[in-house]
């Protein structure tokens, strides 16, 4: 595995290759969820590139960028063992310029749900993903369905800016207790983790209701809110796959999303129907 930190070096190396490239963008603290993205990339491509970059522009003022878990040594080992060909680990100075041209998230879909809790967060995500996709120029780029809104906005950006990359959506991985894998899970105490299980349970209850024929979004939402009590709920949203609110669940065109805070930890989960 080659570790590269310079944009110029990476571009020079990639220009000499004539292979399909699978790309996984990460902020490090790699877990099974990332390994699953890498496995998908290995399955479909000749060359696999992973980037680790804790992107400062997607943290809002007051959010503790310094506290974001950094595990470079373990991450490098995980990438090596997972068969990654190139690990790109740039410094912020390699990617960002003073007074630069910026891409911004759309007015509505960039500012609801996660974008309402963290206004401006998706500007930073899209800005860095645009840069990374332009540097790596992958054939396929892999993003998890767990960050459903991020995935949706990246797909919109690729479409609106005519980027030549195929975005592959990868299913959420769960621990054996049902909790969706996330770098933030390490912050949960044992008691908090038990409480956090109300999140996947609420989604399970929603899918049970839908399987039994219920379609009313309001009814499903109320049941989920009940199930999530007494967690500090950020949102429970039932949307179509274009991230617009719906009254009735439509099979193959619905996503149900939850954000809740457990202790100090904000957790996200969702199901795609
Ligand atoms: O999902 C993440 O880890 C980040 O938001 C991403 C896509 C790597 C951009 O920094």
């Amino acid at each position: 595995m080659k570790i590269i930190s310079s944009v110029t070096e990476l571009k020079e190396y990639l220009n000499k290759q004539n292979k399909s490239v699978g790309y996984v963008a990460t902020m490090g603290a790699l877990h099974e969820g990332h390994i699953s993205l890498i496995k998908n990339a290995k399955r479909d491509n000749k060359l696999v590139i992973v980037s680790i970059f804790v992107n400062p522009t997607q943290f809002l003022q007051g959010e503790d960028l310094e506290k974001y878990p950094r595990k470079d040594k373990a991450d490098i080992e995980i990438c090596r063992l997972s068969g990654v060909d190139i690990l790109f680990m740039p410094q912020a100075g390699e990617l960002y310029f003073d007074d630069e041209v910026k891409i911004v998230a759309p007015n509505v879909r960039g500012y609801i749900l996660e974008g309402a809790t963290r206004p401006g967060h998706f500007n930073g995500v899209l800005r860095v993903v645009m840069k990374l996709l332009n540097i790596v120029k992958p054939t396929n780029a892999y993003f998890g369905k767990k960050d459903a809104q991020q995935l949706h906005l990246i797909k919109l950006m690729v479409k609106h800016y005519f980027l030549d990359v195929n975005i592959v959506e990868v299913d959420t991985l769960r621990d054996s207790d049902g909790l969706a894998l996330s770098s933030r899970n390490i912050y949960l105490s044992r008691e908090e983790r038990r409480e956090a299980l109300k999140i996947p349970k609420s989604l399970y209850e929603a899918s049970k209701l839908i399987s039994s024929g219920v379609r009313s979004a309001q009814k499903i939402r109320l049941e989920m809110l009940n199930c999530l009590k007494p967690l500090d709920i950020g949102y429970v949203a039932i949307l179509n796959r274009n991230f617009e609110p719906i009254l009735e669940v439509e099979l193959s065109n619905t996503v149900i999303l939850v954000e809740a805070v457990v202790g100090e930890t904000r957790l996200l989960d969702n199901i795609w129907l």
Side-chain angles (χ1 to χ4, degrees):
M1 183 176 79
K2 228 174 142 52
I3 302 179
I4 298 180
S5 58
S6 135
V7 172
T8 315
E9 190 186 338
L10 179 63
K11 281 171 84 79
E12 272 171 13
Y13 180 85
L14 290 171
N15 280 340
K16 287 191 219 124
Q17 312 290 323
N18 192 16
K19 296 175 176 163
S20 58
V21 174
Y23 174 49
V24 179
T26 81
M27 298 213 298
L30 303 181
H31 52 65
E32 286 294 331
H34 298 107
I35 295 174
S36 152
L37 298 177
I38 296 171
K39 278 187 184 151
N40 277 269
K42 280 199 74 70
R43 180 197 61 205
D44 302 338
N45 305 276
K46 290 267 181 294
L47 197 79
V48 171
I49 304 187
V50 170
S51 61
I52 296 179
F53 177 63
V54 182
N55 173 35
T57 64
Q58 68 190 76
F59 289 80
L60 306 188
Q61 238 177 7
E63 289 183 349
D64 213 339
L65 168 66
E66 297 316 313
K67 278 208 184 130
Y68 195 85
R70 283 167 175 82
K71 305 191 163 184
D72 283 0
K73 220 168 142 205
D75 288 346
I76 290 170
E77 203 44 32
I78 289 174
C79 287
R80 206 185 300 281
L81 292 172
S82 306
V84 169
D85 299 294
I86 298 168
L87 179 55
F88 179 46
M89 298 178 80
Q91 295 296 315
E94 276 288 311
L95 295 188
Y96 286 110
F97 300 86
D98 287 338
D99 192 26
E100 69 174 34
V101 176
K102 293 188 187 79
I103 180 157
V104 292
N107 287 339
V108 178
R109 283 173 285 177
Y111 288 88
I112 54 171
L113 311 174
E114 282 308 282
T117 315
R118 305 175 73 192
H121 163 70
F122 287 119
N123 291 339
V125 171
L126 294 178
R127 212 168 139 194
V128 81
V129 171
M130 178 69 132
K131 285 170 184 278
L132 291 166
L133 290 177
N134 280 326
I135 295 165
V136 177
K137 291 201 175 66
T139 322
N140 299 296
Y142 297 77
F143 292 92
K145 283 179 164 180
K146 160 126 187 319
D147 293 310
Q149 190 176 8
Q150 166 172 288
L151 171 59
H152 175 66
L153 293 173
I154 289 171
K155 284 176 75 178
L156 278 186
M157 179 177 76
V158 164
K159 181 174 172 207
H160 294 168
Y161 284 82
F162 307 99
L163 301 186
D164 207 5
V165 55
N166 177 40
I167 301 295
V168 184
E169 307 176 339
V170 179
D171 286 338
T172 302
L173 279 196
R174 296 180 181 280
D175 263 329
S176 54
D177 58 7
L179 194 66
L181 294 190
S182 161
S183 312
R184 295 182 191 156
N185 292 354
I186 53 168
Y187 299 127
L188 298 171
S189 67
R190 195 180 294 191
E191 179 52 35
E192 286 170 345
R193 188 173 174 110
R194 244 197 313 274
E195 280 291 284
L197 293 181
K198 292 191 166 125
I199 299 171
K201 184 155 186 299
S202 72
L203 291 165
Y204 176 65
E205 290 304 323
S207 59
K208 258 189 7 196
L209 279 179
I210 294 162
S211 302
S212 73
V214 176
R215 292 291 176 269
S216 156
Q218 192 188 11
K219 198 164 174 190
I220 296 163
R221 198 169 168 276
L222 283 177
E223 189 59 39
M224 289 179 70
L225 290 171
N226 239 339
C227 204
L228 287 162
K229 272 183 199 154
L231 295 187
D232 175 4
I233 300 163
Y235 55 78
V236 171
I238 304 185
L239 306 176
N240 66 19
R241 292 208 182 172
N242 204 25
F243 273 66
E244 296 152 338
I246 47 174
L247 296 177
E248 298 269 304
V249 164
E250 201 188 316
L251 296 183
S252 306
N253 187 25
T254 299
V255 51
I256 305 184
L257 308 103
V258 180
E259 183 214 77
V261 181
V262 184
E264 303 269 287
T265 311
R266 230 164 42 80
L267 297 173
L268 308 183
D269 203 350
N270 58 63
I271 48 170
W272 299 50
L273 301 157

